[in-house]
Amino acid sequence: MKKNALTITREDDFAGWYQQVIAEADMAEESGVRGSMIMRPWGYGIWERVQYLMDQRIKATGHENCYFPLFIPLSYFAKEAEHVDGFAKEMAVVTHHRLKKGPDGGLIVDPDAKLEEPLVVRPTSETVIGTAFARWVQSWRDLPVMINQWANVVRWEMRTRMFLRTTEFLWQEGHTAHATKAEAMEETLSALEMYREFSENVLAMPVIAGEKPENERFPGADATYSIEAMMQDGKALQAGTSHFLGQTFSKAQNIRFQDKEGEFQFAYTTSWGTSTRMIGGVIMTHGDDDGMRVPPLIAPYQVVIVPMLRDKPEDKEVLDYCKALAKDIAKLRAFDEPVRVKVDITGAKTQTKRWSWIKKGAPVILEIGPRDMADDKVAMIRRDALYQDSGKLDTKFLAKAEFIPEIPALLSDIQTALHTEARERMDGNVKKGVEYWSDVERFYAPKKKHPGWLEVQWCKATGEELKSIEERLKKLKLTFRNVPVDADAADGTCIFTGKPAVERIIIGKAY
RNA sequence: CGGGAAGUAGCUCAGUCUGGUAGAGUACUGCGUUCGGGACGCAGGGGCCGGAGGUUCGAAUCCUCUCUUCCCGACCA
């Protein structure tokens, strides 16, 4: 009978299921420090793949990596009011540089070691990088400046969730400065497109790319764009953002250059980022009731070989057979890279190893026992299609010589299958054509579990009017996600105000 | 940061109300029988009961403070 590897199903308790996947797949665990997680090898391995493949794209679009300091002088933030307002409440601040023995023998902060100027642990690097840009940019010939850094940042969030919102997280932040507004806007949209393509093709996670309304903008930005992914519970996850910063930061930080006419001009800047949050998105997009399903492109190991060892003399032969098999598979290339294969030589029981790789979500699991060895076969489990219709594990016994050359195509097939499944789910859960607010209320009635999103027409309200619309959405626990870049033009009336509509916007519940 | 719940063996938890010095399942170690859907039997090892104070002859248990986690809000990638 069918028995799932996890005890909590997505249907019963999505939040509990999410945590169980992370624990059972050995991806991450609590560290004992509020909101700070330990990323274990399987989780970090996925992040390394994300880094590697994203880094290629960042460099291919003309950016160079560099590294800025973790500590930012407090005064740097004072230069841009809106920016500091946005982050003030969540900044970790270093005020002292020494400890000493306290009266009770324990260590206390030495009051004599107070810093002249407190240092902020970076929540994002616009301020330091902008300060450097101001030095680097003197002439129109110095532009554009296009850099990226891979770093950790700290935001003291009140409520944390593994991968989705941790106090410290890992990310990449791109920062660019340009001579013209048009060029900076082009850069902003090019980063957005890079994220969209990456999410779809690498993470197999479908997204909607679009512009955020005014109230959802990055603090200090003139425009913010995002990619929004739909989780299996119908909620939205903002999986990447790209900001057009206009001249706000260049004016605050004096990023100025002389143009060809010798006139001083302020540069136009952009910033864009993606983080370890994407891994949370991958879990909630592809995970199932047996654990994680990792898309082959980001799987630390794409093929895992589980030798069936029995503490008997023939174990050595089985192991040798597996190692030779791994060697053959490692010679193959999939997605233009060598296939990543691992032989699980640990002494654990076969069943334990099998289920552990199922829960981790290795795309292809090969079980090799004496019988396979004798017949020159492999027993293959495809993680994205675990079960037969009967509910039995769908283990396929295949001739080794015929199977090996098929591996690259198989991995590619799994990548596509995961993407297609997620794509269909998202497309089926974005409802268009709703015209009345009462229909919105009905659509998001409390009893509906996974309602998904609505694409509605609206008047692109700003200021106070936008605030009151926000309040109405909030009552239904809804937020604006974004205005899809490829949405149709508006041709109706605003669902909130009845005024002529300006654009189409996505609304939904969000993480 | 407000409201709720919880922290006891690696993990999941019982024991706390009614104070008397530590339990189960699972995992782990050894031996034996098994083995292609998470095997079984026997024998073992493992805990400063989250931390600090207090009450008491005696505290996992009662009191105070604190840290961490989870859920619901507010805030946010």
Side-chain angles (χ1 to χ4, degrees):
Chain A
M1 262 293 81
K2 182 166 173 177
K3 175 188 153 194
N4 289 110
L6 302 184
T7 56
I8 306 173
T9 64
R10 290 163 291 175
E11 191 56 37
D12 288 347
D13 175 8
F14 197 79
W17 166 83
Y18 176 73
Q19 290 178 130
Q20 195 175 29
V21 173
I22 291 170
E24 292 292 320
D26 292 338
M27 295 187 70
E29 62 190 23
E30 297 299 340
S31 67
V33 176
R34 179 183 192 80
S36 302
M37 66 176 181
I38 295 164
M39 289 179 73
R40 302 185 61 181
W42 189 248
Y44 193 75
I46 293 172
W47 176 242
E48 285 184 311
R49 291 293 308 159
V50 167
Q51 275 189 305
Y52 175 70
L53 294 166
M54 179 75 85
D55 200 58
Q56 287 183 340
R57 286 162 170 78
I58 291 169
K59 286 172 178 157
T61 44
H63 306 88
E64 291 177 308
N65 282 337
C66 56
Y67 187 78
F68 280 78
L70 171 67
F71 298 127
I72 302 177
L74 186 59
S75 58
Y76 280 32
F77 284 87
K79 292 177 188 167
E80 216 296 298
E82 207 177 318
H83 185 63
V84 72
D85 278 356
F87 286 104
K89 280 176 280 181
E90 51 186 55
M91 294 205 276
V93 186
V94 178
T95 54
H96 293 76
H97 64 83
R98 193 163 61 213
L99 300 175
K100 67 173 190 179
K101 277 248 167 70
D104 305 328
L107 288 171
I108 60 163
V109 172
D110 186 347
D112 294 335
K114 192 164 184 232
L115 296 178
E116 277 295 309
E117 180 179 358
L119 296 172
V120 171
V121 182
R122 65 175 160 230
T124 179
S125 303
E126 275 75 8
T127 56
V128 244
I129 292 181
T131 304
F133 278 11
R135 285 192 304 276
W136 297 352
V137 175
Q138 303 295 329
S139 144
W140 63 272
R141 293 187 178 87
D142 297 326
L143 293 169
V145 185
M146 304 213 290
I147 61 156
N148 175 69
Q149 81 167 347
W150 290 94
N152 55 340
V153 287
V154 168
R155 296 182 190 176
W156 213 266
E157 301 288 352
M158 288 305 137
R159 197 171 161 195
T160 59
R161 302 191 70 179
M162 282 214 202
F163 289 108
L164 299 179
R165 187 174 296 102
T166 47
T167 304
E168 176 187 2
F169 56 96
L170 306 182
W171 77 345
Q172 77 38 233
E173 48 180 324
H175 295 268
T176 67
H178 307 264
T180 67
K181 183 175 179 177
E183 192 184 310
M185 186 52 93
E186 192 188 329
E187 166 72 9
T188 307
L189 294 174
S190 143
L192 180 72
E193 169 55 19
M194 176 176 77
Y195 290 161
R196 190 202 61 78
E197 183 275 335
F198 180 86
S199 185
E200 301 268 351
N201 294 343
V202 175
L203 306 179
M205 180 168 78
V207 291
I208 290 182
E211 185 180 355
K212 290 279 193 185
E214 177 187 280
N215 61 314
E216 300 272 352
R217 273 183 204 145
F218 176 75
D222 279 9
T224 286
Y225 296 82
S226 72
I227 51 169
E228 302 283 333
M230 184 184 286
M231 305 295 99
Q232 289 182 64
D233 61 353
K235 283 175 150 181
L237 183 75
Q238 182 174 306
T241 49
S242 182
H243 314 291
F244 172 69
L245 303 175
Q247 292 178 312
T248 312
F249 284 85
S250 62
K251 283 179 177 164
Q253 292 157 323
N254 206 31
I255 308 171
R256 231 168 41 141
F257 65 97
Q258 277 184 290
D259 64 18
K260 289 177 186 172
E261 282 74 43
E263 299 292 317
F264 279 108
Q265 303 284 350
F266 285 108
Y268 291 84
T269 63
T270 80
S271 69
W272 27 275
T274 54
S275 71
T276 36
R277 168 180 267 196
M278 283 193 303
I279 296 176
V282 170
I283 296 169
M284 290 193 288
T285 299
H286 301 303
D288 65 14
D289 294 339
D290 293 292
M292 181 66 166
R293 294 191 300 173
V294 190
L297 263 165
I298 56 168
Y301 305 121
Q302 296 163 315
V303 179
V304 173
I305 301 171
V306 177
M308 306 179 80
L309 305 178
R310 292 174 181 177
D311 275 333
K312 290 199 172 153
E314 63 259 32
D315 279 4
K316 193 184 172 306
E317 277 178 71
V318 174
L319 258 181
D320 287 345
Y321 182 90
C322 289
K323 284 177 182 164
L325 175 62
K327 219 171 170 183
D328 288 342
I329 293 174
K331 284 180 198 150
L332 300 167
R333 291 177 74 82
F335 308 106
D336 228 11
E337 287 180 82
V339 171
R340 296 180 292 283
V341 57
K342 157 116 178 163
V343 183
D344 186 348
I345 56 167
T346 56
K349 285 178 289 187
T350 304
Q351 297 92 320
T352 308
K353 290 197 279 194
R354 172 201 309 136
W355 286 102
S356 114
W357 288 110
I358 286 174
K359 287 187 285 192
K360 282 189 166 82
V364 175
I365 300 164
L366 302 179
E367 289 183 14
I368 307 294
R371 221 185 295 165
D372 306 298
M373 197 170 63
D375 301 345
D376 249 339
K377 287 191 166 177
V378 296
M380 192 271 288
I381 295 171
R382 232 182 109 144
R383 180 58 184 89
D384 66 318
L386 257 194
Y387 299 103
Q388 301 172 359
D389 291 341
S390 64
K392 280 184 69 173
L393 260 192
D394 192 9
T395 307
K396 290 196 159 59
F397 296 87
L398 307 167
K400 187 176 80 165
E402 288 164 31
F403 170 68
I404 291 177
E406 293 300 319
I407 289 175
L410 173 65
L411 292 172
S412 163
D413 200 44
I414 294 172
Q415 181 82 24
T416 306
L418 288 172
H419 184 244
T420 304
E421 183 185 322
R423 181 90 239 170
E424 282 168 3
R425 186 171 51 237
M426 183 167 93
D427 287 348
N429 285 292
V430 181
K431 194 176 175 192
K432 301 181 180 183
V434 170
E435 290 179 48
Y436 301 101
W437 178 250
S438 56
D439 291 332
V440 175
E441 288 177 321
R442 205 165 305 128
F443 189 75
Y444 288 103
K447 57 182 179 292
K448 285 185 77 172
K449 221 168 177 182
H450 313 307
W453 306 343
L454 292 178
E455 186 190 277
V456 299
Q457 304 203 33
W458 82 310
C459 63
K460 198 172 184 178
T462 58
E464 286 305 312
E465 193 173 35
L466 176 56
K467 224 171 236 172
S468 82
I469 292 174
E470 235 187 311
E471 285 303 316
R472 284 165 72 184
L473 287 171
K474 207 171 186 175
K475 279 185 192 135
L476 297 175
K477 298 186 179 186
L478 298 171
T479 52
F480 284 122
R481 302 323 302 157
N482 64 27
V483 176
V485 288
D486 56 1
D488 294 333
D491 59 3
T493 54
C494 174
I495 196 164
F496 305 106
T497 63
K499 293 183 193 172
V502 173
E503 59 191 11
R504 294 170 196 262
I505 192 163
I506 302 282
I507 59 178
K509 294 185 184 179
Y511 275 96

